[in-house]
Each structure stands twice: as C-alpha cells, then as structure tokens.
Amino acid sequence: MSLWNLIALCVLVTEVCSQFQISTRIEDVQPIFRNLPKTFTNFSFNPENFAELPELGDSLCLAKLKKLSQGLQTFNQESIAFFDAAGKPPPGITQGNLLMMGDYDMCMKMKNDSKGYYDHCFVGLPAKLFGFPVEVDWSGCLPYECRIGNEADVIQWIDSILPSYVFSLGTGTLICAETIKFDAGAIAASVYLGLVAFLVVLGTIWYECRPVINSLLTRSPKEDKAVLVDCEENVYDEITSETPPENGHPNIPIPRREPEQTESLFTRVFNCFALQRTFAVLTNTETKPGQILCLNGIRVLSINWIVLGHIYLVFSRLIGDKSYLGTLINRRNMPIILNAFPSVDTFFAMSGFLVAYLLLKQLARSGGPINMGVSKWVAFYVHRYVRLTAPYLMVILVEGFLYRQWVSGPYAFGLDPFNKACKDYWYTNVLYINNMVPWNNSEGCIGQSWYLANDMQFYIIAPIFIILLFWRPLEGVIVTNGVVLSSAITTALITWHYKLGPTSAANSNPDFDWLLYKKPWIRIRPYQIGILGGWIYWKYGQAFQDRVKLMPEWKKVVFAGPLWAATCAIQWAVVFGLYDDINKFDVDHIEPSVADSISYEIFDRIAWPLTLIIQIFLCQCGLGGFINSILSWKGWIVLARLTYSVYLLHIGLISVLLVMMRHPVFLHPDFEMGVLYLGCLMMSYLAAAVLYLSVEQPLAFLETLIYRR
C-alpha cells in the first residue's frame, strides 16, 4: 500500500466515523454499515480534512502541534510521520478497547532521525463512555516543547483531534521516556552478573580439564583434610537424609562419591560451578525412603497457579476487550484466577511443616536443643540466609538496576517505580524486612518478595515453638494455637476498622495490600498450622503408617475416602466461596459486607493449610491413592527444584513482556491468554534453570565445601 493510499484510508475512516452516532443498540448501528459501499463510491481525497482543528492556545507546544497538523496539507514528511506514529481511536471502543497505542518503533526512528527532538510519550486520560468512567491510554511521539510540564496542552490537543461524541475527557497524566543513566547499582549488577558467568564458564572448562590440572596442582591429602570436603556432600546430612527446606521444600539428596582429597583447593572451588555437576544435580530423580515426595507435585502445581494469577493481574493493563470482563467474571471457574491467593498459603504451610519436622528429628538425635551445640544453631540460620539470599540478590540487581537499561517499549516507564524502589530500599530486601519497611509499601523492589520476608521472619522464630513442642508438647500446642488465634483476632479487627474486603479481588480500599495482605501477624497462621502438622507427623507419623499397612484395602477406602472428600470440599469453598462477592463487586460495584469479609479472612487462612496438612498425611501414610501417585510422580522432582527461582523471576519476566507489547491483549478467546500463560510459564522455568545452575546449586556446593568439618 502506498503512503497516499494509507493517508486516504485514514481520512475514509474519519469520514465514516463522522456519521457514526455511538449507541449500544444494534439497530442504530446497522444503517451506517449499510451505507459503507456508498461511502467508498463517493469518497474523494482532500488533504484539508487533516487541518480542520478547533482554535488552540498560543503555547509553544500547541503551536508546534498545530503546525504539524497543517503540514499535512502540503504532505510534509515530518507531519505525516508524526501523525502516522500517533495513537488513534482503535476499533472496538464500545467493547472497551480504549488503548490508543501509537507506533513505538516508528517513534523511536523519529527520535533517532531528529537527534532527540521527538520522544515517545504516554498520556492517561480519565474519560466517560456511555456515562461510565473509564481511562483512555494514548501513546505516540511528541515534540520537545510538549514533554515537560505541558500535560494540559497535550490533552487539549488530543481532545481536539478526537470525535467529541466518542470521549468526554478530563485531566490526565503525561509521561515521556527518559534516558536511564548507567549508575552505581547498574555497575554493581553488571559486575555480579559478569563474575557469576565467569565462574560458571571457568568451572565448566576446569572440570573438563581436571586430570591435567590435578597433575599440576596436586596437594597432599593431609593439607586439605582439615578444611575441605567434597562439594557434593551436604552440610546437613548429619541432621537428616533430607536437607533443610529451601522455601518450604527439601532438596533431593544427590549421589555421593568419595572425596578426591588430592584435588587442590582451587580445583574443588571451581568444580562447584561446573555445569556438568550442577546439571547432574538438577536432573537427578533418585529418591530415598522417608522422603515426602508428594510435596514436589504440590509445589509445582502451586507455583504454576501463582503464575496464572499474575498473568491476568499484570496484563489487565493492556486488555483490549474490557467489556468481556463481565462475561469472564460471570464464569464459575474464574475464582481460580481471581482468587488464587491460597496458593501462597500452601507454601507457608509446607515451609512450617518441613522446618518443624526436620528440626525435631535433629533435636531427637542430639538429645535436645542444648546438646545440638552452637555451631549447628548458627548453621541453622546461616544456611537458610545464604542459600536464599544469593539468587535473591541476583534478581534484585538484575531487575532493579539492569532491566531499565535493557528493556524498551511503549510501557517501559511502568518499570520506573520498581527501579526506584530497588534503589531506595534494596537493603530492606536483603535484611528481609521489606514487608514492613517502608510501612505502607504497596509496590516495593521485587513486588512478590513480601513473601520471602514473611517466610524468613517465621523461620527465625520457629525454633521457639518447635523446642517447646519437643520439651513440653501440651504447652507447645497451646502457645502455637494461641498465635493462630491472635492472628485471626488481629485480622478481624483490622478488617472491621478499615472496612476492608475479604480479598483484593473484592476490595476497593487501596491500602488493602499493606494493611492486611503482606504483614507477618496476618500471614503467620498457615505457617503455625504447618509447624503443628510437622510435629504431629514427627511424633505419630511412623506409627500411623505401620497401622495403615495392616489395614485391608476396603478399610483404607472407608477411612480415607471421607477425609479426602471433606478436605477437597473445604478447599473448594475457600477458592470458590467468594464467587458471588467477586461478581457483585466487579460487575455491580457492590462491596461485600464487613461481616462476610471478617468471616472469610478468618476462615480461609486456617481452613486451607489445615486441609492441606491432612492431605499430606494421607499421601505419606499410604492413603493417597491415585492422588498421591500423581503428586509423587518423579517428573515433578526436577521442576520442584526450580520453584524458588520461578517465584523470584516470573513477575519480572511477565512485566518485561507487558512493557514491550505493541498491541492490546484480548481475553476472548481463551486461547490467546492460554498461549500467553504457557509462554510466560515456560520462560520462567527456563530462566529459573539458568539461575539454579549458575547460583543456587553452585552456592550449595560451596557451602558444604566451607562448613563441613
């Protein structure tokens, strides 16, 4: 299509729109489409149509915009490029497509050709469509005179070129692309990233060449024996065959080999980064008796559920068929997406369960907390902090300081708040206090990292309850349940005082996140229930398993069947019980009553983890049937090792895809969102594998190399 045909087509659309009186009734629209053939026949091109603008002000910005508009009469190349790259009313406005996205790449070409005179800008415009408040997003190129402090002028110009019967515009927000400086944070991130890459490459090559290197750098076994151990041995093997939980999961033990004490220190350090070894650990699916294999399936399915919820949450900004939201919300299966929050409570419960179970085993072996010795208690905390923080720090540096250097797109400015949060508050993430500092933090550096702060805080205080359960079981049960009760009462009081909804999907208070969703005194209930479950399993699990082995099959079915039915029904109620409340809130804008909100907030974070722990018991004790067969499938083992890295990375990857999108996303048909979800999920696992192979597992090797005596 030639340039002139393109311009003529734009004018044709304008002429057709001038006949179009917006209406929600199809009978009012039909005559216009019947006249379309006549419109094509009678149409004649007239460049003056482009310059018929109302009188604008005399500011430099408006003067330049009017000059560009009038330049179309003479087919000025600059004017044509400017309007071609500008956002225009899209099709499907009555269906909620209010994204007037300009041509970002063409705008960047104009910026380069003009040596920075033009730049890509975004304008958010509050508007009304059929009397309903909406927000219109416009993006395109703006000249230099319009970029700084000229929101009113730009909005006036946009209002003047739009059909007045389509939008009724108010004030708006103007955001223009900024040049991102390569600051100290970006330098630190680059150095860290480069160092890790260097060690991985060097370690991989070193491992392949180790026979030659060992012959040149051979040391006496006595020199290394006092301070070195083989990297594949685990510092916690003295505690249990299952290593302590990383984010609520045990690591799968790896095959042992006798230490090669003749290897030099440098050789053994570099070998920790060798891809041959880290990849062997990642793909190892060997298991040992006593491992709780059903946790692997639960972890993978839960993290996939979290990613699904975040896909819809993040991409809600770019939805091009908002009118379909009502239809979507009316569907009975939508609470799986809109109310995916129990998936996070799953990880809290599993983390508490495993910390309690593994620590109780160690306390029993050692004869009590005092006999464990200071070194093991120090290792209990240091191990957790180091293993979680190293990959976490990598993600903070890359997403917080390098993403804005690497990523460009129409909505790249959306990363700026997170970039600023990482610059200002990165230390709160490393100290695991970012769920409380700053107090009213709703965004933060690495938005999902509030979970890590809560989990670390719970881990620090967990030995108090676990030791009490070990020494004085009755008092331990009372105190642990007392924390659960206190948390429930606190939740009820906060919900009542601030008139909060039962979940963020049915809540209009913008402070919901930092008041109720991210604070440790609200989220501790699943963790405490997990601790109680770990204690019960440690104390009675083996005896119960022995009794189950003696049961005939029919008795197993009679005993386990009602338990599975009851727990699944309760979990269904937790997820789908808010269907009516969410539907009324999103469609009819009716908020749930405070009583309903309090009831749900108390019920869900007790019922979900309690039923989950019961199901883990049933699976581990031989009463899981086909469900346990699915959850304990060995194929989950590899993916389960990546869940921590997937959690760290997935929102960053989804956000990058969002800001780079050149077109709206449509909820209908479901196939489009399904492809988007599967693609983001696959990218998250691939990126997680890179992080695991380059940071997580090499650090585990280094840790055992340093701490094992």
Side-chain angles (χ1 to χ4, degrees):
M1 179 183 291
S2 69
L3 179 60
W4 308 118
N5 288 339
L6 181 61
I7 296 174
L9 182 59
C10 292
V11 178
L12 169 62
V13 173
T14 303
E15 185 169 325
V16 172
C17 287
S18 67
Q19 305 176 43
F20 190 94
Q21 300 294 324
I22 295 294
S23 174
T24 54
R25 297 184 304 165
I26 190 64
E27 58 267 24
D28 294 338
V29 180
Q30 287 174 345
I32 296 172
F33 289 96
R34 287 196 212 97
N35 292 332
L36 275 179
K38 182 179 178 181
T39 302
F40 275 103
T41 304
N42 297 337
F43 173 73
S44 60
F45 173 66
N46 182 5
E48 293 182 0
N49 289 344
F50 285 99
E52 295 175 358
L53 296 175
E55 287 297 324
L56 300 178
D58 296 328
S59 69
L60 291 176
C61 174
L62 290 174
K64 178 62 178 179
L65 291 173
K66 187 169 184 178
K67 181 180 179 181
L68 287 168
S69 301
Q70 293 172 339
L72 291 172
Q73 298 182 57
T74 58
F75 304 111
N76 178 275
Q77 294 297 313
E78 180 184 3
S79 297
I80 292 171
F82 173 78
F83 277 95
D84 197 18
K88 304 169 186 66
I93 291 174
T94 60
Q95 301 303 309
N97 187 7
L98 304 173
L99 302 172
M100 298 190 294
M101 301 176 68
D103 191 321
Y104 175 80
D105 299 295
M106 186 174 184
C107 187
M108 288 297 99
K109 185 177 185 303
M110 288 181 64
K111 177 179 180 179
N112 294 332
D113 293 345
S114 64
K115 298 182 179 179
Y117 178 73
Y118 288 98
D119 212 339
H120 185 269
C121 295
F122 167 88
V123 180
L125 303 168
K128 284 188 176 181
L129 183 63
F130 304 132
F132 292 100
V134 295
E135 181 167 327
V136 178
D137 292 349
W138 179 92
S139 63
C141 266
L142 286 178
Y144 177 79
E145 292 88 347
C146 297
R147 285 185 297 179
I148 303 174
N150 288 286
E151 289 90 345
D153 292 341
V154 174
I155 292 169
Q156 183 184 351
W157 172 73
I158 294 175
D159 196 6
S160 71
I161 63 174
L162 293 174
S164 59
Y165 48 76
V166 177
F167 301 118
S168 175
L169 302 175
T171 59
T173 303
L174 171 65
I175 303 174
C176 292
E178 298 180 3
T179 302
I180 305 300
K181 296 180 180 179
F182 202 78
D183 54 15
I187 294 173
S190 301
V191 170
Y192 187 24
L193 202 63
L195 178 62
V196 169
F198 171 76
L199 289 173
V200 170
V201 172
L202 182 61
T204 302
I205 297 174
W206 196 286
Y207 191 79
E208 283 297 313
C209 302
R210 65 189 185 282
V212 176
I213 295 173
N214 287 339
S215 64
L216 298 175
L217 300 176
T218 300
R219 295 180 60 181
S220 167
K222 286 186 178 182
E223 293 180 81
D224 293 337
K225 186 174 182 180
V227 295
L228 298 177
V229 295
D230 182 73
C231 294
E232 288 179 343
E233 294 183 338
N234 193 291
V235 68
Y236 278 87
D237 281 344
E238 294 181 5
I239 298 178
T240 174
S241 61
E242 299 159 318
T243 63
E246 299 294 342
N247 252 3
H249 65 82
N251 291 335
I252 303 299
I254 58 178
R256 292 170 174 262
R257 63 180 175 82
E258 289 301 318
E260 297 179 15
Q261 299 290 355
T262 57
E263 290 183 339
S264 70
L265 174 62
F266 289 108
T267 296
R268 301 175 73 190
V269 168
F270 289 138
N271 284 349
C272 292
F273 291 87
L275 286 176
Q276 298 92 325
R277 302 182 67 207
T278 55
F279 187 76
V281 174
L282 173 62
T283 56
N284 177 41
T285 58
E286 293 183 14
T287 61
K288 289 184 178 180
Q291 290 178 340
I292 308 175
L293 298 178
C294 65
L295 294 182
N296 292 317
I298 294 173
R299 285 168 49 213
V300 174
L301 295 176
S302 296
I303 196 65
N304 293 354
W305 189 10
I306 289 173
V307 175
L308 177 64
H310 284 156
I311 282 284
Y312 276 83
L313 175 66
V314 174
F315 275 95
S316 61
R317 181 70 185 179
L318 274 183
I319 292 176
D321 52 350
K322 290 184 175 64
S323 66
Y324 186 67
L325 278 173
T327 304
L328 200 64
I329 292 169
N330 278 325
R331 285 165 44 173
R332 287 287 176 180
N333 61 349
M334 274 309 290
I336 295 176
I337 295 169
L338 298 177
N339 193 27
F341 308 109
S343 57
V344 181
D345 291 329
T346 297
F347 282 99
F348 279 132
M350 286 193 297
S351 183
F353 178 90
L354 284 165
V355 169
Y357 174 61
L358 296 174
L359 184 54
L360 285 165
K361 289 178 68 175
Q362 170 60 12
L363 291 173
R365 290 180 181 180
S366 302
I370 298 176
N371 295 333
M372 274 182 62
V374 176
S375 62
K376 288 183 180 178
W377 279 114
V378 171
F380 177 82
Y381 288 108
V382 172
H383 166 82
R384 179 77 166 192
Y385 181 83
V386 172
R387 293 282 290 274
L388 295 186
T389 306
Y392 184 23
L393 182 61
M394 170 73 84
V395 175
I396 291 172
L397 290 172
V398 172
E399 292 190 10
F401 299 96
L402 290 181
Y403 265 16
R404 282 300 276 123
Q405 308 289 337
W406 296 343
V407 177
S408 62
Y411 290 90
F413 65 86
L415 297 175
D416 291 342
F418 303 102
N419 182 261
K420 185 178 186 303
C422 287
K423 289 180 179 179
D424 295 342
Y425 297 107
W426 64 269
Y427 64 93
T428 65
N429 293 71
V430 177
L431 295 175
Y432 294 93
I433 57 174
N434 53 294
N435 58 336
M436 293 187 285
V437 180
W439 182 257
N440 59 346
N441 180 14
S442 295
E443 299 293 343
C445 176
I446 316 300
Q448 72 276 26
S449 61
W450 66 267
Y451 165 83
L452 302 178
N454 279 281
D455 189 66
M456 180 63 76
Q457 292 158 11
F458 300 156
Y459 184 86
I460 290 172
I461 65 174
I464 298 173
F465 306 100
I466 296 170
I467 291 172
L468 193 56
L469 286 166
F470 180 79
W471 268 344
R472 305 292 294 271
L474 179 60
E475 290 84 347
V477 171
I478 293 173
V479 171
T480 306
N481 279 311
V483 173
V484 174
L485 180 61
S486 300
S487 173
I489 294 173
T490 304
T491 301
L493 291 174
I494 293 175
T495 302
W496 171 77
H497 180 73
Y498 291 97
K499 303 297 186 289
L500 300 174
T503 175
S504 59
N507 170 78
S508 60
N509 192 323
D511 297 329
F512 180 89
D513 269 8
W514 67 267
L515 281 173
L516 206 61
Y517 190 72
K518 298 180 179 180
K519 294 298 184 271
W521 43 86
I522 305 297
R523 305 309 298 249
I524 197 171
R525 277 171 284 162
Y527 199 93
Q528 294 296 96
I529 291 172
I531 287 177
L532 286 172
W535 171 73
I536 294 172
Y537 182 69
W538 167 75
K539 193 171 184 64
Y540 304 107
Q542 188 59 54
F544 186 68
Q545 288 183 46
D546 294 338
R547 291 187 62 180
V548 169
K549 290 178 182 178
L550 300 176
M551 287 183 181
E553 290 301 318
W554 67 268
K555 188 174 288 188
K556 292 180 181 179
V557 174
V558 170
F559 178 78
L563 284 175
W564 276 109
T567 54
C568 289
I570 293 172
Q571 290 173 340
W572 181 92
V574 169
V575 176
F576 292 93
L578 287 180
Y579 171 80
D580 290 333
D581 290 321
I582 294 175
N583 192 280
K584 290 177 182 178
F585 177 80
D586 288 333
V587 177
D588 302 323
H589 306 290
I590 299 175
E591 296 196 23
S593 67
V594 175
D596 287 346
S597 298
I598 291 174
S599 300
Y600 184 82
E601 282 288 354
I602 292 175
F603 168 77
D604 74 321
R605 293 199 175 94
I606 294 176
W608 183 272
L610 183 61
T611 54
L612 178 70
I613 296 299
I614 292 173
Q615 291 170 347
I616 292 172
F617 266 77
L618 293 175
C619 287
Q620 191 65 10
C621 294
L623 298 173
F626 74 93
I627 297 177
N628 183 55
S629 299
I630 294 173
L631 295 177
S632 300
W633 174 54
K634 285 190 174 184
W636 299 122
I637 294 175
V638 176
L639 296 178
R641 292 196 182 103
L642 300 176
T643 52
Y644 176 47
S645 294
V646 169
Y647 186 78
L648 289 176
L649 293 165
H650 76 280
I651 286 189
L653 293 172
I654 295 171
S655 299
V656 166
L657 181 60
L658 171 76
V659 303
M660 296 176 67
M661 292 286 278
R662 268 61 167 175
H663 57 81
V665 174
F666 292 89
L667 297 171
H668 183 71
D670 293 331
F671 180 78
E672 181 168 346
M673 289 301 295
V675 170
L676 191 62
Y677 165 63
L678 293 176
C680 289
L681 187 66
M682 180 64 70
M683 286 194 303
S684 297
Y685 273 105
L686 290 175
V690 173
L691 186 61
Y692 179 92
L693 294 172
S694 60
V695 179
E696 272 198 81
Q697 192 54 47
L699 187 68
F701 286 161
L702 282 174
E703 186 187 27
T704 59
L705 185 64
I706 295 171
Y707 287 107
R708 183 78 176 264
R709 293 293 186 268

